[in-house]
Amino acid sequence: MPQPHSVQLLVRKSCGSCVRVRAEIEGPVVATGARFSVLDVDSDRALALEFGDRVPVVLLDDEEFACWEVDLEDLVQALL
């Protein structure tokens, strides 16, 4: 049986776009059976340096899928 996809959303507490993107993608991602998690880049110095102000970032199976804006239809298709 194949492993479910994983989607990780990289955010920052002070990021309004991060809140919006999470609200847009969390339900549809979970509905596909994928694992969904959120990580604040400020919790890890290396992530904070790598991503800086370039959040929100969506990682699909640990690969960058989208930054700032997410095409929800493309994301769902990639998960199915």
Side-chain angles (χ1 to χ4, degrees), residues 43-74:
S43 69
D44 181 299
R45 182 168 167 73
L47 285 175
L49 289 172
E50 180 178 352
F51 291 98
D53 290 332
R54 199 173 62 87
V55 290
V57 173
V58 175
L59 303 179
L60 172 56
D61 298 330
D62 298 320
E63 297 290 327
E64 188 170 327
F65 181 84
C67 176
W68 292 310
E69 296 296 328
V70 180
D71 185 315
L72 184 56
E73 187 176 317
D74 286 349

Side-chain angles (χ1 to χ4, degrees), residues 4-5 7 26 34 36 38 40 44 49 59 71 73 77 79-80:
H5 289 287
V7 174
E26 185 171 11
F36 181 77
V38 178
D40 185 331
D44 181 299
L49 289 172
L59 303 179
D71 185 315
E73 187 176 317
Q77 284 300 315
L79 293 170
L80 295 176

